[in-house]
Structure formats: structure tokens, C-alpha cells
């Protein structure tokens, strides 16, 4: 990660350490679970928190919360987004735990997958907890009720969408004979991967407006009646900006998902093994393109998937399939499609409606810089 973002990333890590501590104390338990008849001891609480904390401690680029905080800064909100970092980063990590269970993956970020290390039951429970623990940060966020509601609606919509995308992915990888169309694959990526990039940038827009609320004296949960119309108008304007930036971010997310699919079949993804998408039976874009162009090779692909699932990435069929995909040119074609999506994200910011927005130049610079960062 570029050194210019080091200070921001340190702030993000501090928020994560505070809101999901290594050793939960009584104050954290009360803040997270409310008034309980009695406070469970730390070891019992860690039955829930330790697996998720382990995954977070393994690293990760943190580009989603970084995108949210950079968006907020770009739009004049300063550090207003920092308190909501858990809303973005924890669901992402929860989805990784569940994804590894559903895909029967054995490794994540260079170590055994959480469900293998801690057991399936703890993995499922801790993964689910990560989806919701970020709501504590939202409840404690000092913002007007209308702004909290806008953030809640945004978060809830995208969390539902990520589960739809995962359901689509599961349906295809569990059935070797099922092949999604390019349109279905695109929708799955938008729901499963692009949605978190979209949520990050939309929350960045909504948190940026908090500074203006405070300047105008609108900073309590029940703002004065005379302030409500102006706040409603500003939230509507922010919603239109969030929609434009969100679509651009969604395209970025899908583009980088395709790059990950390509990397899995070439150099291998960091912390995972080359070809483990084949072990999982994943219908990645190169596989879809290959079978569309070579429908007679369906039995060959099914045989490679079956052997890989039985024997792991060491099966000779893994390299055999990768070789055919490469020779057919579909890995390079997929990489090009990913680049086109990233270019489309930039084009969204050149539409007439968006260019008339006062902060267009700053927002455009944000995404250009961010693409460079991830690339």
C-alpha cells in the first residue's frame, strides 16, 4: 500500500483494534451486548470474537475502509468517516469466513482457513457476528437521526445484496454442469464483490455531510424542526452523488474481481494457492469464456473440476485446465474485460450530469488515484 496512505491506515487499524479488541473487557461487552443478567468471562466472549480477530490480524489491504475515508476527505468531511470503519471492514471479513466454508477452502491469507482452525461451528458463528458487530459503531455515531437513517438504509441494502451474490456463486460452483451467462456472471460479481466497494464510497459521501450538519448546529438525534427541510434537501443531493460514485466504484470492484480470477490462474493470489478456484469448482470468467467458445469441452472441464476437488491443487488436471485456458486466449480476454470495467468507472465520471456537480474534479481525482493504488 502506498506510503502516502500510511497514516490513514494506522487510524483505520486503531478503530478496528478498539471495536473488536483482542481481550474484550466488561465495558466492551456492555457496549456490544447491552445490559446482561451477568457478564460472561473473557474466555467465553472470545469464543465468539477470537476467530474474527484472528482473520483481521492476518492483514488485508483495508482498501474498502480506505476508500470510504478518502471519499469523505475528498468531499470536505475530514475524519468523519473513521468511526464507521467497522461497517465496511467487518462484513467483508465475515464474508471471507463464510466464503471459505461454502467453497471448502483450506487457506486464507497464508494460514489455515478460520473454520479449519477453530471448527465449523465457531467459524459460522463468528463470521455471522462480523456482519453485525459494526452496527455498534453506527449506534454510537453522533449524527442527526435522518443522516443515521440514510447510512442504515445504505448498509442494509448492500448487506442483503452481498448474500444474493454469494447464493448465485454457490448455485454455480456446486453444480459442474451449470454455466452462468456473461450477464449472470456480471450480476453475481456486482452483488458479491462490487457491492462492498459501492457501499464504501456511498458511506463516504454520507459521512462527509456530517461536518456541514455540525456547522449548522444540526448534531443531535432529534434536530430542530426548522432544520429538517435543509437537511432533507442536502441528503437528497448527497444521494444523487452517492449513486453516481457508487456505480463507478461497483465497476471498479467487478474489474478487480476479474483481475483476482485471472491471478488465481496465473501467479496465484496472495495467501492462496494457484488454481484453488478450480478446486472450488468456481465458474470464473476465463472458464465461462472458454466454454462459450468451446462447448464441446464441457466434459473435459467437468473432469478437471472433479479431479481437483478430490485431489486438491496438486492434481495434474489443475495445470492441464489452466494450460488450455491460456492457450485459448481466454485468460488474456478476461483480463481485458476487467480493464474495460475500470475504464467504464472513469467514464461514468465524465457524464454531463455528474460533471455539473461542484466537487466533480475532486471526486474524479479520488477514483483515478485509487485505481492507481490498487493497480
Amino acid at each position: 500500500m502506498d506510503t502516502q496512505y500510511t497514516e490513514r491506515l494506522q487510524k483505520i487499524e486503531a478503530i478496528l483494534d478498539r471495536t473488536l479488541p483482542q481481550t474484550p473487557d466488561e465495558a466492551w461487552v456492555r457496549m456490544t451486548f447491552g445490559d446482561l443478567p451477568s457478564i460472561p468471562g473473557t474466555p467465553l466472549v472470545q469464543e465468539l470474537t477470537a476467530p474474527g480477530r484472528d482473520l483481521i490480524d492476518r492483514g488485508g489491504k483495508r482498501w474498502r475502509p480506505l476508500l470510504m475515508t478518502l471519499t469523505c476527505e475528498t468531499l470536505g468531511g475530514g475524519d468523519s468517516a473513521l468511526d464507521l470503519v467497522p461497517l465496511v471492514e467487518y462484513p467483508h471479513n465475515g464474508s471471507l469466513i463464510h466464503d471459505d466454508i461454502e467453497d471448502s477452502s483450506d487457506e486464507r491469507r497464508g494460514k489455515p482457513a478460520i473454520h479449519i482452525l477453530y471448527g465449523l461451528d465457531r467459524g459460522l458463528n463468528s463470521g455471522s457476528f462480523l456482519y453485525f458487530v459494526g452496527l455498534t459503531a453506527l449506534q454510537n455515531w453522533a449524527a442527526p437521526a435522518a443522516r443515521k437513517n440514510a447510512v442504515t438504509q445504505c448498509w442494509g441494502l448492500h448487506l442483503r445484496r452481498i448474500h444474493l451474490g454469494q447464493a448465485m456463486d454457490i448455485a454455480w460452483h456446486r453444480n459442474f454442469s451449470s454455466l452462468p451467462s456473461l450477464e449472470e456472471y456480471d450480476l453475481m460479481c456486482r452483488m458479491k464483490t462490487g457491492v462492498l466497494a459501492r457501499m464504501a464510497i456511498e458511506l463516504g459521501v454520507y459521512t462527509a455531510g456530517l461536518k456541514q450538519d455540525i456547522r449548522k448546529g444540526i448534531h443531535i438525534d432529534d434536530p430542530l424542526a426548522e432544520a429538517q427541510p435543509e437537511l432533507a434537501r442536502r441528503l437528497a443531493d448527497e444521494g444523487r452523488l452517492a449513486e453516481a460514485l457508487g456505480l463507478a466504484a461497483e465497476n471498479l470492484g467487478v474489474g478487480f474481481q476479474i483481475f483476482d480470477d485471472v491471478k488465481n490462474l496465473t501467479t496465484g493470489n496472495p495467501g492462496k494457492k494457484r488454481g484453488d478456484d478450480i478446486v472450488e469448482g468456481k465458474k470464473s470468467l476465463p472458464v465461462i469464456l472458454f466454454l462459450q467458445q468451446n462447448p464441446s469441452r464441457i466434459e473435459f472441464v467437468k473432469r478437471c473440476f472433479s479431479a481437483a476437488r478430490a485431489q486438491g491443487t496438486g492434481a495434474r488436471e489443475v495445470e492441464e485446465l489452466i494450460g488450455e485456458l491460456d492457450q485459448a486466449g481466454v485468460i488474456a480476454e478476461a483480463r481485458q474485460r476487467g480493464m474495460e470495467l475500470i475504464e467504464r468507472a472513469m467514464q461514468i465520471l465524465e457524464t454531463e450530469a455528474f460533471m455539473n456537480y461542484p466537487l466533480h474534479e475532486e471526486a474524479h481525482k479520488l477514483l483515478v488515484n485509487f485505481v492507481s493504488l490498487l493497480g
Side-chain angles (χ1 to χ4, degrees):
M1 192 65 76
D2 197 301
T3 54
Q4 67 175 305
Y5 299 112
T6 299
E7 184 178 349
R8 295 178 178 91
L9 288 168
Q10 289 173 344
K11 291 179 179 179
I12 287 170
E13 292 300 330
I15 294 288
L16 297 176
D17 290 342
R18 188 179 76 234
T19 54
L20 189 64
Q22 285 279 0
T23 307
D25 59 17
E26 183 174 330
W28 183 87
V29 172
R30 291 189 182 280
M31 178 186 70
T32 306
F33 302 103
D35 291 328
L36 301 174
S38 61
I39 301 297
T42 297
L44 284 176
V45 178
Q46 288 177 317
E47 284 289 313
L48 175 63
T49 62
R53 186 68 249 180
D54 181 348
L55 182 59
I56 291 165
D57 286 340
R58 296 181 189 184
K61 292 181 178 179
R62 308 286 193 250
W63 67 259
R64 294 163 187 84
L66 182 60
L67 178 58
M68 179 180 71
T69 55
L70 285 173
T71 302
C72 182
E73 286 181 34
T74 297
L75 299 179
D79 282 348
S80 298
L82 269 176
D83 287 338
L84 297 189
V85 158
L87 280 182
V88 177
E89 186 63 16
Y90 290 152
H92 165 60
N93 282 273
S95 74
L96 295 181
I97 294 175
H98 286 175
D99 194 50
D100 287 342
I101 292 170
E102 290 155 354
D103 291 343
S104 301
S105 299
D106 59 4
E107 191 172 319
R108 173 66 67 176
R109 294 174 177 165
K111 294 183 179 180
I114 292 299
H115 67 283
I116 290 178
L117 199 58
Y118 293 91
L120 181 61
D121 48 1
R122 288 185 73 187
L124 282 169
N125 197 40
S126 63
S128 297
F129 179 64
L130 287 177
Y131 284 114
F132 304 110
V133 67
L135 287 174
T136 305
L138 178 59
Q139 290 165 4
N140 295 328
W141 190 43
R147 185 165 298 282
K148 275 191 176 184
N149 182 62
V151 168
T152 302
Q153 293 293 326
C154 173
W155 179 86
L157 174 65
H158 295 318
L159 262 289
R160 294 191 294 272
R161 284 178 171 177
I162 195 175
H163 284 79
L164 173 60
Q166 184 70 350
M168 296 169 73
D169 194 26
I170 292 169
W172 295 325
H173 78 232
R174 289 193 177 277
N175 182 354
F176 289 144
S177 300
S178 176
L179 185 69
S181 66
L182 288 176
E183 293 76 13
E184 289 172 328
Y185 172 82
D186 179 77
L187 179 61
M188 183 273 291
C189 286
R190 288 180 185 277
M191 297 298 96
K192 182 178 176 180
T193 305
V195 72
L196 286 175
R198 182 168 197 147
M199 181 174 75
I201 212 165
E202 289 182 357
L203 292 182
V205 172
Y206 288 124
T207 52
L210 179 61
K211 242 187 176 179
Q212 193 169 348
D213 295 344
I214 295 172
R215 280 197 299 268
K216 293 180 177 294
I218 309 170
H219 59 274
I220 54 176
D221 285 338
D222 186 20
L224 298 174
E226 57 264 28
Q228 290 279 16
E230 182 192 349
L231 180 56
R233 176 187 58 76
R234 284 197 291 107
L235 284 171
D237 289 342
E238 291 169 17
R240 286 187 286 272
L241 176 61
E243 179 71 20
L245 279 174
L247 181 56
E250 185 177 285
N251 281 323
L252 283 180
V254 177
F256 284 108
Q257 174 62 58
I258 293 173
F259 285 168
D260 273 354
D261 291 348
V262 167
K263 192 177 293 184
N264 184 271
L265 300 173
T266 52
T267 60
N269 302 101
K272 302 198 83 176
K273 298 174 183 175
R274 168 179 155 111
D276 63 0
D277 280 354
I278 298 173
V279 175
E280 297 166 10
K282 184 175 181 179
K283 306 295 172 54
S284 63
L285 184 56
V287 173
I288 295 170
L289 292 170
F290 178 76
L291 288 176
Q292 284 192 338
Q293 298 168 17
N294 305 275
S296 63
R297 298 295 282 159
I298 181 66
E299 291 304 320
F300 161 72
V301 172
K302 288 167 65 175
R303 175 174 63 81
C304 291
F305 276 171
S306 295
R309 178 166 290 184
Q311 302 172 41
T313 53
R316 64 176 178 81
E317 286 84 356
V318 170
E319 293 301 322
E320 191 178 346
L321 177 54
I322 291 175
E324 286 227 13
L325 295 175
D326 189 30
Q327 187 173 2
V330 294
I331 294 179
E333 184 178 346
R335 185 184 290 110
Q336 179 59 33
R337 285 177 180 259
M339 183 58 66
E340 289 171 359
L341 280 164
I342 292 171
E343 291 171 354
R344 193 182 305 167
M346 299 297 103
Q347 291 168 2
I348 289 171
L349 302 182
E350 304 303 332
T351 60
E352 183 177 350
F354 188 59
M355 288 185 72
N356 288 333
Y357 191 85
L359 287 170
H360 167 262
E361 290 187 9
E362 288 85 348
H364 185 271
K365 187 188 297 183
L366 163 72
L367 281 185
V368 170
N369 290 342
F370 199 74
V371 170
S372 301
L373 172 69
L374 289 183

